[in-house]
Amino acid sequence: MSGDEKAVAAPRSLAEALRQRDDASLAALLRARPDLITPVPTDLTQLATRAGTRASVVRALERLDRFALQTAEALAVAGDPASYGELLGLMAGDDGDPEVAAALPRALGALRERALVWGADDRLRLVRTARELLAPSPQHPSPTGLGPTVQEATAGMSPGRIQEIVAAVGLPSTHDSVSAVASLTALFTDRERMSALLADVPAGSLEVLDRLVWGPPYGQVTADPAPRLRLLLDRGLLLPTAPGTVVLPREVALHLRAGRAHRAPEPVPPAVTASATHTARVVDATAAGQAYTALATVEELLKDWDEGGPNVLRAGGLSVRDLKRTAVALDVPEPVAAFWVELAYAAGLLASDGEVDERYAATPAYDEWLELPPADRWARLAQAWLTATRTPGVVGDRDAKDRTLSALGPGLDRSAAPEVRHRVLALLATLPEGAAPDAESVLARLRWERPLRGPQRTGDHDLRTRLARWTLSEAELLGVTGRGALSAHGRALLGAGASAGASAGAPAAGPAAPGADADAGTGAGTGTGTGAGAASGADAGRPGPDGLTAPGPGDKLPVHKHHPHHPTAEPLHDSAPVPAPAPPHHTAPPHDSAPPHDPTPAPAPLSPAEQATATAAAARLLAPLLPEPLDHVLLQADLTAVAPGPLRRPLADMLGVLANVESKGGATVYRFTPASVRRALDAGRSAADLHAFLTEHSRTPVPQPLAYLIDDVARKHGHLRVGAASAYVRCDDDALLNEILADKRSAGLGLRRLAPTVLAAQADPGALLEGLRAMGYAPAAESAAGDVVIARADSHRTPPRTAPEPVPDGPPAPDTPLLSAAIRAIRAGDLAATAPRRPAAADPAADGEPPRTSAAETLATVQAAVLTGETLWIGYVNADGAASQRVIAPIRVEGGFVTAYDHTADEVRTYPLHRITGVAELAEEAAADPS
């Protein structure tokens, strides 16, 4: 057979279909299903085998959009093979649906690209594993709600019973069951004859069929069925599958559905609609304010843990009590506190110190982060959030062992989190600037893009829906969005690709008019009418009409017990009112006026290099929007200082020691107290230093009460000296020591006089300092040499730590160089496995097995190939003992080595002759074109 004939021949297997693909098509397959090249297959046969494994097929099905999955489900209930016309009939119905017909080629192309479907349009085949997963069975009902075919349902039926059904529907009797079933199937698939058969069926029997038509198709009957059920059983419109169990045959259901496999096909994705519109300036300003608040919150968190944070639980993570304390310190709810803690951890600013008494503390990277400009600090937090798999939203949930998940603890990684965050922001980017999305429309779009398989859930229980909701709230906290709308720096964070493609699916809308602010909302849109409630799993069952409660003899038909995931239908009874007959077919619900568009593939998350570039661009856009740090405060007579904006770092650090933060917001209020002034003196500052500092940085004169406070605390500071004996108090004024001994509040310190100017204490120096300060004194600690110990705040730091690595959701997507190399290796390996060989004169190699020749024959054949330029097929065993097959073109033979161009590796290599197990000459047809 010539090469041209091979190209046009219909493939007989998935491997042959893959051989007919070009390199671009193979690259698309490996990009869509990266698990197929981990590791790289040796040839296309192995690639096809791997593509048909259950784990790989399940992963591929989970990444289909709703309409592509509906198409695969329709193929699973179609014939094998099926024609494109048959598939179109199952998806669009007998009357045809233009939207479905227009979208079907794209869905079928997606299935073909992922190697879930192969074959020409007249012989479409769903891979066997996918058919097993999607085809209906009593244990695993199909989302289509269809039951088994007539042939499958009658597999265990007696030949006599089959002939009785054939005679009841007016068909001639046959000599065998196979032809009888075939004639019955032909009747049920003939629209005209089937309509005539149903024309004289009583309304009560039609009502039973209508209850089962959209699924579940199984029901239970008593040993003595009612007449309306007996008629259906006699004519084969219901077939028994087990004692007391009947099923609606697939062919009958398709006739009643007018050929439609799904009640509501969803060819068009739901549109993301806007709930409010603001000006771009308002959105960016609001987001910038939130970004600044995020920086201040992270700084406050790590400053609070600067001297060593809470202890690490034995199982890892923060205790519930420590999380509550952190939430109180940050003045936020506990879930928000968990978000900030996890964000600092993801950015590498926070870790455990690894000591015996393990505690959480800031890392050395935190000090480097503090030195960055504010926009760059925000960019680092935003990038860490966007790519992290740790999910603070699950804190407080239970794991598989019923243990509570704690912040900073194990078990918080959710591999889908980065992809969902990126996709949610990309959907926000499809809206016009300043438009805040309707959250439900975003969730509906995500459910369409990644529908749930198995038991369908329409609430917020699935992980992707929860991740999407958390993304919307976290993006607002972090300042990626402002008032719900994506900011300019938020768009830049997604990269140029997402921003450029954002307009592809954006609804037509003009720019927001000036002044269209937060309160001028546009109203929530309605999407396309195909939201979460229209999941394909809803096709599988509908509850029956209400009020059917009167019992009837032998006519109970409840839902089959093997279908727990379907909504339970009401049982049918004779006394129930008969509903109006169902229309001949069910049409898809109309979509709204939003213009349909082809659902373009969701942009993949950026590579690390691309994300770094996008993050830098976002920082450049954010920088002008952040307030400039100030170098001054406003001192007031009530012992407070007002910072009208963010302060420069040296000023903020010193003011944080000298005063306590009283309130935060647009302006920060600091309050001076004796304890705060003493803290500054303990840090080594003198009263003169404090007066000079306040005079330099205050836009108002230093109030007299504040000056008096500083002088008064400084005058008392250091008169008492506390050292370590266990502990002692030393003072030159023995009258002051007498006063302390006489004070009843000192009883707990265990003081006793050692000398006129020295008191010994049973308490440790730290407790002694705190006790004397609580009594109103201002003691100073001293060293063993008698010098005053300057009590600067110790900044406890962990050893250098790296940020936690994200847990990938399966193998990473391959880049272009890896794809090119993998495809070359697969092609070359396939050539070595399938190239025709010249038959050996004796002991020919078995088909597909490595050749076996003696060392002399190997050397002679290789030397001859060097002279003639022939291409050889060799068996080779490497140093690890792994055997492989290769196609080589020998160049020279010397010193026990052969140097040859290896078509498998696409490079020149040298092989030891003693590792070549044998050689065979390729047939001239393959040798002429080894590529």
Side-chain angles (χ1 to χ4, degrees):
M1 184 180 293
S2 68
D4 294 340
E5 290 173 335
K6 288 182 180 178
V8 299
R12 295 172 298 176
S13 65
L14 177 58
E16 289 188 7
L18 294 179
R19 288 191 182 97
Q20 294 180 3
R21 293 192 178 197
D22 56 16
D23 287 356
S25 179
L26 282 180
L29 167 62
L30 299 179
R31 191 174 288 110
R33 299 176 65 179
D35 57 297
L36 298 183
I37 58 169
T38 309
V40 177
T42 58
D43 53 35
L44 288 171
T45 300
Q46 189 180 77
L47 177 64
T49 302
R50 192 176 295 174
T53 59
R54 183 181 181 88
S56 182
V57 170
V58 168
R59 181 181 294 273
L61 291 175
E62 289 175 347
R63 281 156 177 75
L64 295 175
D65 61 56
R66 190 183 301 281
F67 188 64
L69 183 59
Q70 287 181 331
T71 303
E73 292 164 352
L75 276 173
V77 298
D80 188 21
S83 65
Y84 183 82
E86 182 181 355
L87 175 62
L88 179 61
L90 288 171
M91 295 300 297
D94 295 342
D95 294 341
D97 185 333
E99 262 188 351
V100 171
L104 187 58
R106 178 202 62 82
L108 185 59
L111 297 176
R112 275 183 167 140
E113 179 186 273
R114 291 162 173 78
L116 295 172
V117 170
W118 58 276
D121 282 352
D122 58 339
R123 294 182 64 81
L124 296 173
R125 292 184 181 274
L126 192 65
V127 294
R128 182 175 57 186
T129 308
R131 179 175 289 275
E132 292 172 354
L133 289 169
L134 300 177
S137 68
Q139 292 75 26
H140 303 285
S142 168
T144 61
L146 293 170
T149 62
V150 172
Q151 181 180 359
E152 294 168 346
T154 57
M157 190 177 293
S158 65
R161 177 58 184 152
I162 295 176
Q163 294 296 336
E164 291 176 2
I165 295 175
V166 168
V169 295
L171 295 176
S173 61
T174 61
H175 298 287
D176 59 275
S177 299
V178 175
S179 57
V181 170
S183 63
L184 193 62
T185 301
L187 169 64
F188 289 166
T189 54
D190 188 319
R191 293 290 186 262
E192 293 185 2
R193 291 196 293 163
M194 190 63 178
S195 299
L197 177 64
L198 294 174
D200 59 346
V201 173
S205 299
L206 288 177
E207 190 265 344
V208 173
L209 297 180
D210 188 61
R211 293 284 297 275
L212 299 177
V213 64
W214 290 108
Y218 292 90
Q220 292 180 341
V221 295
T222 60
D224 182 20
R228 62 175 181 173
L229 293 178
R230 171 57 62 189
L231 182 144
L232 298 176
L233 291 168
D234 290 343
R235 298 190 181 188
L237 298 176
L238 289 179
L239 294 174
T241 59
T245 303
V246 295
V247 67
L248 180 68
R250 186 182 305 170
E251 294 84 355
V252 178
L254 287 174
H255 175 82
L256 296 173
R257 299 180 180 193
R260 196 187 300 274
H262 293 277
R263 180 189 288 263
E266 299 182 51
V268 179
V272 178
T273 57
S275 61
T277 302
H278 319 281
T279 61
R281 176 181 296 181
V282 168
V283 169
D284 292 345
T286 304
Q290 285 296 120
Y292 174 75
T293 302
L295 296 179
T297 304
V298 172
E299 289 183 38
E300 182 180 358
L301 167 68
L302 294 178
K303 185 177 180 180
D304 188 49
W305 292 4
D306 208 29
E307 300 180 23
N311 291 324
V312 180
L313 293 175
R314 182 178 300 177
L318 277 180
S319 66
V320 175
R321 180 172 55 186
D322 288 329
L323 181 61
K324 289 181 178 179
R325 289 174 178 171
T326 302
V328 171
L330 298 179
D331 194 21
V332 295
E334 290 179 34
V336 178
F339 167 71
W340 293 121
V341 169
E342 283 289 339
L343 180 62
Y345 179 62
L349 309 179
L350 175 68
S352 62
D353 57 15
E355 297 180 359
V356 176
D357 185 18
E358 196 172 14
R359 307 174 72 87
Y360 288 108
T363 64
Y366 170 65
D367 298 312
E368 301 173 3
W369 179 77
L370 285 176
E371 300 302 321
L372 296 174
D376 292 339
R377 281 187 279 143
W378 176 87
R380 181 166 175 179
L381 294 179
Q383 181 175 353
W385 169 74
L386 193 60
T387 59
T389 55
R390 291 185 62 85
T391 309
V394 300
V395 170
D397 290 354
R398 296 277 179 174
D399 63 7
K401 296 183 179 180
D402 200 36
R403 295 174 300 192
T404 302
L405 297 174
S406 58
L408 299 179
L412 297 189
D413 285 289
R414 299 295 182 269
S415 300
E419 186 267 334
V420 172
R421 292 192 192 107
H422 191 275
R423 186 55 186 152
V424 168
L425 296 183
L427 289 176
L428 267 60
T430 62
L431 295 173
E433 291 186 2
D438 175 46
E440 292 304 320
S441 69
V442 174
L443 298 180
R445 178 62 174 266
L446 289 176
R447 294 189 192 104
W448 187 91
E449 292 179 349
R450 290 285 183 87
L452 291 172
R453 292 183 60 247
Q456 299 293 313
R457 289 171 284 185
T458 58
D460 290 351
H461 303 292
D462 64 287
L463 178 62
R464 288 180 63 85
T465 298
R466 298 174 69 195
L467 287 172
R469 289 194 182 277
W470 294 331
T471 298
L472 292 173
S473 60
E474 292 168 359
E476 191 75 15
L477 286 173
L478 193 54
V480 177
T481 60
R483 301 199 180 188
L486 192 63
S487 62
H489 50 274
R491 292 176 187 270
L493 191 65
L494 295 177
S499 299
S503 60
D517 206 63
D519 297 331
T522 60
T526 57
T528 61
T530 56
S536 61
D539 302 350
R542 289 290 185 272
D546 295 329
L548 306 181
T549 55
D555 196 15
K556 189 176 181 182
L557 192 66
V559 176
H560 193 272
K561 63 182 178 182
H562 287 163
H563 305 273
H565 76 287
H566 294 298
T568 304
E570 296 288 342
L572 297 173
H573 302 285
D574 281 340
S575 60
V578 179
H585 67 277
H586 299 266
T587 58
H591 299 282
D592 66 0
S593 57
H597 61 277
D598 291 335
T600 55
L606 305 178
S607 66
E610 293 171 337
Q611 187 62 65
T613 303
T615 303
R620 288 194 297 271
L621 289 175
L622 176 64
L625 302 175
L626 293 176
E628 286 293 332
L630 304 177
D631 62 350
H632 65 273
V633 295
L634 305 176
L635 296 178
Q636 302 186 104
D638 59 349
L639 297 181
T640 60
V642 177
L647 300 178
R648 291 182 178 178
R649 183 151 306 282
L651 173 59
D653 291 343
M654 183 58 198
L655 199 58
V657 175
L658 181 57
N660 299 323
V661 175
E662 187 171 77
S663 65
K664 295 178 291 185
T668 305
V669 178
Y670 295 86
R671 176 164 294 281
F672 300 94
T673 65
S676 68
V677 173
R678 186 186 63 244
R679 186 170 62 230
L681 295 173
D682 287 343
R685 302 283 182 171
S686 65
D689 294 336
L690 299 182
H691 285 299
F693 169 78
L694 294 175
T695 302
E696 178 184 359
H697 294 288
S698 176
R699 287 290 178 89
T700 59
V702 178
Q704 191 177 53
L706 179 57
Y708 285 171
L709 174 65
I710 294 174
D711 293 337
D712 186 52
V713 174
R715 184 171 55 255
K716 299 177 182 178
H717 183 264
H719 282 195
L720 293 177
R721 301 293 183 88
V722 174
S726 165
Y728 65 84
V729 179
R730 181 173 64 85
C731 182
D732 294 337
D733 185 358
D734 58 347
L736 182 58
L737 294 182
N738 292 332
E739 180 183 341
I740 294 174
L741 282 175
D743 196 322
K744 294 182 179 179
R745 293 175 294 176
S746 66
L749 300 176
L751 297 174
R752 61 188 179 87
R753 188 185 296 272
L754 296 181
T757 59
V758 179
L759 297 179
Q762 296 178 3
D764 60 85
L768 183 55
L769 281 169
E770 293 300 324
L772 292 175
R773 286 169 181 169
M775 294 167 61
Y777 300 99
E782 72 176 10
S783 65
D787 300 324
V788 175
V789 176
I790 297 175
R792 293 190 178 94
D794 294 328
S795 297
H796 181 61
R797 294 291 181 265
T798 70
R801 296 277 194 262
T802 57
E805 290 292 331
V807 178
D809 184 16
D815 54 16
T816 301
L818 176 59
L819 281 177
S820 301
I823 291 173
R824 284 199 306 270
I826 293 172
R827 294 280 193 201
D830 198 60
L831 172 67
T834 60
R837 289 105 189 175
R838 292 180 181 176
D843 191 24
D847 185 27
E849 294 295 327
R852 295 286 180 178
T853 56
S854 65
E857 290 174 332
T858 298
L859 179 60
T861 304
V862 172
Q863 289 175 335
V866 172
L867 299 176
T868 61
E870 290 183 339
T871 302
L872 301 178
W873 175 53
I874 68 170
Y876 181 74
V877 178
N878 63 14
D880 297 327
S884 61
Q885 306 175 45
R886 298 180 178 275
V887 176
I888 65 172
I891 300 174
R892 63 176 178 272
V893 180
E894 57 184 8
F897 292 87
V898 56
T899 302
Y901 176 77
D902 189 337
H903 292 281
T904 308
D906 196 20
E907 63 182 5
V908 175
R909 290 186 174 182
T910 301
Y911 298 99
L913 283 171
H914 69 276
R915 293 193 178 278
I916 299 178
T917 60
V919 296
E921 298 178 359
L922 293 181
E924 295 184 2
E925 175 185 350
D929 185 16
S931 61

